[in-house]
Amino acid sequence: MDCPHCQSPHVSLLQRKTHLGYTMFRCKHCRRTFNERTDTPFNFIEVPTDIVFQVLFCCVRYKLSYRDVAEFFLLRGFKFTHETVRF
Ligand SMILES: [Zn+2]
């Protein structure tokens, strides 16, 4: 994996992970840390990427309302509002 900040291929794998379980890396060139989602549109979303796609799937495939989708994922332990689903 290349560094998303300076594009250097010289990165090292860190032992720790993010609170969502993503692998962390440190660039040997610019010394910045980053994870698998850094520099992606999902970087600031507070749920795992697979949950985002499951929410999209429920909205598109099953035509559930945003409130129904939020309630469905509350059963799985992910607490967010219908406005978050809409966003
Ligand atoms: Zn770098």
Side-chain angles (χ1 to χ4, degrees):
M1 175 170 229
D2 293 346
C3 174
H5 306 292
C6 69
Q7 319 310 325
S8 171
H10 305 290
V11 297
S12 60
L13 184 69
L14 297 179
Q15 293 297 315
R16 65 178 195 263
K17 293 185 178 259
T18 65
H19 75 281
L20 293 177
Y22 291 103
T23 304
M24 293 187 71
F25 303 90
R26 178 182 301 278
C27 177
K28 294 179 179 175
H29 181 72
C30 69
R31 316 232 3 112
R32 295 174 74 174
T33 58
F34 59 95
N35 65 57
E36 298 168 83
R37 293 206 313 186
T38 301
D39 207 27
T40 69
F42 301 103
N43 193 30
F44 297 103
I45 298 176
E46 296 176 358
V47 295
T49 306
D50 61 321
I51 298 300
V52 174
F53 284 106
Q54 286 177 19
V55 166
L56 282 172
F57 184 76
C58 286
C59 290
V60 173
R61 174 63 180 86
Y62 300 112
K63 310 276 194 258
L64 295 175
S65 71
Y66 298 149
R67 290 177 192 270
D68 288 343
V69 171
E71 188 176 323
F72 179 73
F73 278 87
L74 184 61
L75 296 173
R76 296 191 52 198
F78 294 99
K79 187 175 182 181
F80 44 74
T81 66
H82 64 285
E83 285 298 309
T84 304
V85 175
R86 185 179 64 83
F87 175 69

